[in-house]
Amino acid sequence: MSLSREQMLVEMGISPIWVLRDTPVADAAAPVPEAPVQPELPESGPAAKPAASATPVAPAAARPAAPPAVVSSRPVADMDWPALSAQVADCRACPLHAQRQQAVLGVGDRQPEWLFIGEGPGAEEDARGEPFVGQAGKLLDAMLASLDIARGQAVYIANAVKCRPPGNRTPESAEIAACLPYLERQIALLKPKIIVLLGKVAVHALLHDDKALGSLRGRRFEYASIPVVVTYHPAYLLRNLPEKAKAWEDLLFARRLLRESRPAAIPAAFSEPELPF
Ligand code: URA
Ligand code: SF4
């Protein structure tokens, strides 16, 4: 009896063979128009899952399939928005993938002046697929309004980790590190003029600094030649209302830095009211 190649491979215990797709799923997706406000929902479905059958009926090469966790063979650092969205939607690079409803990439203007970076999605963000839509998000929106900006206009909002930590625990260092390439790629694509880090986790992710947040406020840091400012996380401010005044100082400081680099972006006579949120 002569065995087919596939049957032989099955007999040898080395079938099926998964062939990495030549065309990443995301490349096949239609280009995404640049819309100002846009929750970054996955733009393509999850990667094709390998067939369960132990005896594939057609040669593997004729039915290319990717391994479960691989969406694109391109490095993250080379990805465009569709590829990045698809990759994050399907990512299983750290244990946070296990309990998420969905990964939350970010939201907003893809050519922003401002980039705000928080910690990670909470329950509502996990359910809705958009960052900062819960209580902390309402405060963040009020903070943005004080700067005369609105979600989606001149601002992009992202998180250090894209998947919700169970019970809203603080993400671990290894999880932050696993997710960092996505944040780095977002920043490279967005090219914001100023970055505001909201709380310790964002500071840890981008500046690799674990000092007390209070000691980092009021200073100009840099990431990829972009000025970076540190302030309190809105969830912390909700628990420590008197600290809001300090957060407002930090935002004014950030706006001054932005104005130095982009005078046209901020009107000369902008207001600095006492505490607008
Ligand atoms: N807290 C965060 O850090 N990010 C969110 O998206 C929501 C709450
Ligand atoms: Fe992947 Fe980031 Fe989600 Fe971890 S948190 S599974 S690295 S997208």
Side-chain angles (χ1 to χ4, degrees):
M1 178 185 79
S2 81
L3 295 176
S4 73
R5 178 172 168 271
E6 277 307 309
Q7 285 168 322
M8 227 159 62
L9 294 175
V10 171
E11 292 294 317
M12 291 159 68
I14 53 173
S15 178
I17 297 173
W18 309 124
V19 179
L20 207 59
R21 61 175 77 239
D22 308 327
T23 314
V25 168
D27 283 350
V32 180
E34 290 294 334
V37 184
Q38 189 179 28
E40 313 239 324
L41 299 175
E43 275 130 348
S44 61
K49 299 291 183 289
S53 166
T55 51
V57 288
R63 298 185 301 105
V70 177
V71 172
S72 171
S73 50
R74 249 193 285 175
V76 172
D78 292 345
M79 287 181 178
D80 56 12
W81 281 110
L84 186 64
S85 294
Q87 177 80 24
V88 168
D90 222 40
C91 178
R92 296 173 211 177
C94 89
L96 294 183
H97 81 272
Q99 291 183 58
R100 71 178 177 214
Q101 287 190 49
Q102 58 191 313
V104 181
L105 180 59
V107 68
D109 191 333
R110 286 181 177 175
Q111 292 179 307
E113 305 281 348
W114 300 79
L115 169 61
F116 285 78
I117 303 174
E119 182 172 318
E124 286 176 79
E125 290 77 18
D126 183 49
R128 287 182 41 191
E130 183 173 338
F132 283 102
V133 289
Q135 281 308 311
K138 292 203 177 74
L139 177 54
L140 180 60
D141 284 341
M143 292 160 75
L144 298 181
S146 309
L147 294 165
D148 298 320
I149 49 178
R151 187 176 286 243
Q153 288 167 10
V155 60
Y156 190 95
I157 304 169
N159 280 311
V161 296
K162 314 305 186 200
C163 304
R164 182 193 180 203
N168 295 348
R169 67 163 170 76
T170 304
E172 291 173 6
S173 289
E175 294 160 351
I176 296 167
C179 217
L180 186 59
Y182 300 136
L183 182 62
E184 289 177 329
R185 186 60 191 150
Q186 283 178 296
I187 297 173
L189 289 167
L190 291 166
K191 301 185 184 65
K193 304 298 177 287
I194 182 94
I195 298 175
V196 180
L197 301 179
L198 302 166
K200 272 192 79 111
V201 169
V203 174
H204 178 87
L206 211 63
L207 302 179
H208 309 290
D209 198 322
D210 281 326
K211 287 197 213 55
L213 200 119
S215 69
L216 304 172
R217 292 183 46 242
R219 287 165 60 185
R220 180 191 193 280
F221 296 92
E222 263 190 18
Y223 173 87
S225 306
I226 303 164
V228 176
V229 166
V230 170
T231 193
Y232 295 113
H233 191 285
Y236 169 85
L237 296 175
L238 289 172
R239 297 190 305 269
N240 300 273
L241 295 176
E243 304 287 54
K244 278 186 179 182
K246 292 185 187 161
W248 179 229
E249 273 174 30
D250 298 336
L251 294 182
L252 291 175
F253 175 56
R255 185 160 66 173
R256 267 177 247 127
L257 292 182
L258 174 60
R259 187 153 203 285
E260 276 167 23
S261 64
R262 303 258 302 159
I266 308 285
F270 57 83
S271 61
E272 295 196 8
E274 239 357 73
L275 178 60
F277 55 84

